[in-house]
Amino acid sequence: MNEAETSRLSPDDYGRGDSTTNLQNTNPLSRRAVMKHIVFHHSAYLEINGVQPKPVGIELHEKSAVLGRSPDCEIPLPVTEVSRHHARISYQNEEYHVEDLDSTNGTMVNGVSIKKCVLRNNDQIQIGEITIIFVEERTRQSK
């Protein structure tokens, strides 16, 4: 197709013909699919400030962890402005997520009130007076 033919296409013509114009057939790719031949060491942890005099580090695993005032939470935060089951951190599609569990005072990430969002290295989670730093490390390993 030359330039003259391209300029005569109407919006209805897009999505027909060769696969370069048909974007409806694209598929999402996971990190694992793209980097399947590269070996990484992955670790993540939370640095919790405001519960004890010194920051507390908690390693995250690839399972969900609930943060809250209740003693049955995986990560207990015994502070009055924290709900019993305040927020959940989960690992989905090779990324960590934080989700507010309809808490009374809400959850903020980097100063923005959230319901659910993906966490990135050095994000600051604010739950009441508690500041939690999310730290994620990915290092390439030689085979």
Side-chain angles (χ1 to χ4, degrees), residues 3 29 31 50 67 72 82 92 100 103 111 120 137:
E3 279 187 13
L29 292 175
R31 280 187 195 169
L67 295 84
D72 68 338
V82 174
Q92 304 166 8
D100 185 79
S103 65
R120 299 288 181 228
E137 297 173 351

Side-chain angles (χ1 to χ4, degrees), residues 2 6 19 34 38 43-44 47-48 55 65 75 80-81 85 90 92 112 116 121 128 131:
N2 62 34
T6 304
S19 62
V34 173
I38 301 171
S43 64
E47 182 183 292
I48 301 174
I75 303 173
T80 56
E81 66 264 9
H85 296 98
S90 59
Q92 304 166 8
V112 177
K116 184 175 184 176
N121 189 35
T131 301

Side-chain angles (χ1 to χ4, degrees), residues 69-111:
R69 196 176 69 236
S70 176
D72 68 338
C73 290
E74 288 84 1
I75 303 173
L77 303 173
V79 179
T80 56
E81 66 264 9
V82 174
S83 296
R84 283 188 289 273
H85 296 98
H86 196 101
R88 176 184 300 117
I89 294 182
S90 59
Y91 189 75
Q92 304 166 8
N93 299 323
E94 300 162 27
E95 296 180 311
Y96 284 93
H97 299 251
V98 62
E99 176 183 10
D100 185 79
L101 300 176
D102 296 323
S103 65
T104 303
N105 294 320
T107 303
M108 296 178 78
V109 174
N110 300 328

Side-chain angles (χ1 to χ4, degrees), residues 8 13 17 44 73 85 91 102 113-114 125-126 137:
R8 286 184 268 151
D13 292 327
C73 290
H85 296 98
Y91 189 75
D102 296 323
S113 182
I114 59 99
I125 305 166
Q126 191 74 37
E137 297 173 351

Side-chain angles (χ1 to χ4, degrees), residues 112-129:
V112 177
S113 182
I114 59 99
K115 178 65 182 155
K116 184 175 184 176
C117 77
V118 173
L119 290 171
R120 299 288 181 228
N121 189 35
N122 291 321
D123 276 351
Q124 285 193 358
I125 305 166
Q126 191 74 37
I127 297 178
E129 294 296 318

Side-chain angles (χ1 to χ4, degrees), residues 13-60:
D13 292 327
Y14 291 105
R16 296 184 189 155
D18 70 315
S19 62
T20 59
T21 59
N22 190 355
L23 299 178
Q24 296 173 350
N25 293 329
T26 60
N27 292 320
L29 292 175
S30 69
R31 280 187 195 169
R32 184 171 287 140
V34 173
M35 299 181 164
K36 64 184 173 186
H37 301 293
I38 301 171
V39 178
F40 283 97
H41 170 72
H42 177 255
S43 64
Y45 67 93
L46 301 176
E47 182 183 292
I48 301 174
N49 299 286
V51 175
Q52 296 183 7
K54 289 186 175 183
V56 176
I58 296 178
E59 186 175 356
L60 295 173

